[in-house]
Amino acid sequence: MNIDQIVRLLGQKYGIPQWRPHADPLSELIQAILSQNTSDVNSSRAFQSLMATFSTWEMVAKASVDDIAEAIKSGGLNRIKAERIKSILEGILESRSSLDLEFLTELSIPEAKAWLKGLHGVGPKTAGCVLLFALGRPVLPVDTHVYRVSRRLGLINSKASPERAHELLEEIVPPQAIYQFHINILAHGRSICRARRPLCHDCALGEGCPSNGHS
DNA sequence: TGCCAGGCCGGGT
DNA sequence: ACCCGGCATGGC
């Protein structure tokens, strides 16, 4: 089963998500950091609380780690995330002199990704979220669902590391299909395809799911 | 109750 | 190049 068939089957099962602009790149970055290894209920509460506590990102940059950690407490991992958010905002202010990441649109995808990953606490998944959701670039954020389900479907070698999965999947998935692939793989991974093992018997991507018949 | 959630870093092999 | 512990709250 090739990538085009999988994209089509996912589309039949979950619909074709319509592209819509998300947040500005800096807000997307903060949201992505808060979502790291955290349920979306907890992380979105933390983001709302952060916005409600501080009126601007400049205020967050000047706040103490303790105060930021308190504001995002409901998200979990709050101490380490508060340190990362503060140091990232301070770093952007120092290097760019304003808290604005729109300049990333002028960079190539590899350049923009490298710049983001240079920030402490920003890995491939977080950088990918900023590039795809805020800037509309054809980059695939490989989170646990994308990683696990892609291996289950046989799209990539089950032994590939998460880092390697990023490279492999970006070669496989057509740029124009990345957004819907990401959205629908998450839908599939959150509902049906939840088991951690690489293959299973109940992963039903319609009749053609290659995971059918495995145990 | 115990396990897990849209990662990433630092230290060890 | 991998592997692993740490980080921490809220939901089920």
Side-chain angles (χ1 to χ4, degrees):
Chain A
M1 176 129 78
N2 64 33
I3 182 65
D4 296 320
Q5 292 174 289
I6 288 175
V7 167
R8 184 167 43 77
L9 286 172
L10 287 169
Q12 287 173 3
K13 196 168 182 58
Y14 301 104
I16 310 293
Q18 186 162 5
W19 166 259
R20 55 191 164 82
H22 290 241
D24 65 279
L26 185 59
S27 298
E28 188 63 47
L29 175 61
I30 304 296
Q31 280 186 285
I33 289 169
L34 289 174
S35 78
Q36 288 168 1
N37 201 44
T38 301
S39 65
D40 43 354
V41 172
N42 281 4
S43 70
S44 61
R45 258 206 291 264
F47 184 72
Q48 293 304 319
S49 171
L50 184 63
M51 301 276 280
T53 306
F54 304 97
S55 48
T56 67
W57 294 127
E58 283 79 6
M59 299 286 289
V60 179
K62 281 186 273 192
S64 71
V65 170
D66 280 348
D67 287 346
I68 299 173
E70 182 62 27
I72 63 174
K73 187 173 168 190
S74 63
L77 306 180
N78 54 329
R79 192 84 208 165
I80 191 165
K81 287 177 185 173
E83 287 171 0
R84 288 174 182 175
I85 288 170
K86 179 171 170 60
S87 85
I88 283 172
L89 290 175
E90 287 176 335
I92 294 173
L93 272 175
E94 186 172 344
S95 65
R96 304 285 316 167
S97 76
S98 79
L99 289 177
D100 182 1
L101 296 184
E102 294 291 344
F103 76 94
L104 290 173
T105 61
E106 299 163 15
L107 303 184
S108 71
I109 287 175
E111 287 171 339
K113 198 184 291 183
W115 190 90
L116 285 164
K117 285 169 71 175
L119 302 171
H120 187 75
V122 177
K125 151 64 165 66
T126 302
C129 284
V130 174
L131 292 172
L132 176 64
F133 294 120
L135 301 175
R137 300 291 201 101
V139 172
L140 180 65
V142 177
D143 53 47
T144 61
H145 292 303
V146 173
Y147 181 55
R148 194 186 70 244
V149 177
S150 295
R151 291 186 306 165
R152 288 263 288 276
L153 296 177
L155 278 175
I156 60 176
N157 190 299
S158 62
K159 288 188 291 187
S161 69
E163 193 78 25
R164 185 85 184 104
H166 236 107
E167 304 170 6
L168 292 171
L169 286 171
E170 288 195 358
E171 292 176 14
I172 294 171
V173 183
Q176 70 276 11
I178 282 183
Y179 181 72
Q180 75 174 73
F181 177 79
H182 185 265
I183 299 291
N184 282 348
I185 281 281
L186 257 61
H188 193 59
R190 284 202 274 239
S191 58
I192 294 169
C193 212
R194 293 197 59 83
R196 288 179 164 276
R197 58 187 179 278
L199 297 172
C200 74
H201 63 284
D202 62 355
C203 173
L205 229 196
E207 289 298 316
C209 180
S211 297
N212 279 336
H214 295 282
S215 60

